[in-house]
Amino acid sequence: MQKDISTPNDIKILVDTFYNSVKSDATIGYIFTDVAKVNWDDHLPRMYKFWEFALLGTAVYKGNPMMKHIALNAKASLTKQHFEQWVQLWEATVDRFFEGEIANRAKERGQLMKTVMHIKMEQINK
């Protein structure tokens, strides 16, 4: 049995591993590397805080992910396939390292984010 997500270090392992898989993914990697040109030194600490806040309640996150994605969508349309791939990679990463209540919450939050982001981008792209 694997352990549940319970510490900031667990979040760091999850986020680092997830984004390493994202960077090399054929479906969505280019969005991060070529379109968004993500500064990983800036982005990863922000994602640690976001997920610590969302899953552990231990960090203060300030940001507006929807606005970031709307701006990104203006550069390259974000499609259902992109969000499906994102959540597939997210869930696979969670399952690789963790199981338990908070791990399940991480997957539920990923599904919710996928759905909300996709609906918003679909409205914008019409």
Side-chain angles (χ1 to χ4, degrees):
M1 179 170 177
Q2 295 173 299
K3 71 183 232 92
D4 203 354
I5 299 168
S6 61
T7 68
N9 193 57
D10 292 340
I11 298 290
K12 186 176 186 311
I13 290 166
L14 176 62
V15 168
D16 287 347
T17 305
F18 169 69
Y19 280 109
N20 279 335
S21 63
V22 163
K23 289 178 205 176
S24 62
D25 185 78
T27 303
I28 63 173
Y30 78 95
I31 294 170
F32 290 83
T33 58
D34 300 337
V35 179
K37 296 183 186 348
V38 171
N39 175 337
W40 295 105
D41 291 336
D42 182 50
H43 188 67
L44 291 173
R46 191 172 294 136
M47 292 300 92
Y48 304 150
K49 285 184 180 181
F50 174 83
W51 286 107
E52 279 183 48
F53 173 76
L55 301 176
L56 304 177
T58 58
V60 175
Y61 172 77
K62 294 181 180 170
N64 188 333
M66 184 61 75
M67 292 307 294
K68 296 281 187 189
H69 287 83
I70 289 170
L72 182 58
N73 185 71
K75 295 179 182 180
S77 290
L78 302 178
T79 67
K80 182 177 184 177
Q81 181 185 13
H82 293 136
F83 291 108
E84 291 287 346
Q85 184 64 12
W86 181 93
V87 85
Q88 183 180 336
L89 293 171
W90 177 250
E91 290 182 351
T93 307
V94 171
D95 288 342
R96 179 174 165 195
F97 293 101
F98 305 103
E99 65 180 312
E101 182 181 341
I102 298 173
N104 289 337
R105 189 178 317 142
K107 293 187 285 186
E108 290 166 5
R109 295 278 167 94
Q111 285 287 342
L112 179 62
M113 288 172 49
K114 172 200 78 163
T115 301
V116 170
M117 292 281 185
H118 173 248
I119 289 169
K120 187 68 172 176
M121 297 313 134
E122 212 171 45
Q123 290 171 342
I124 291 168
N125 291 336
K126 284 186 178 177

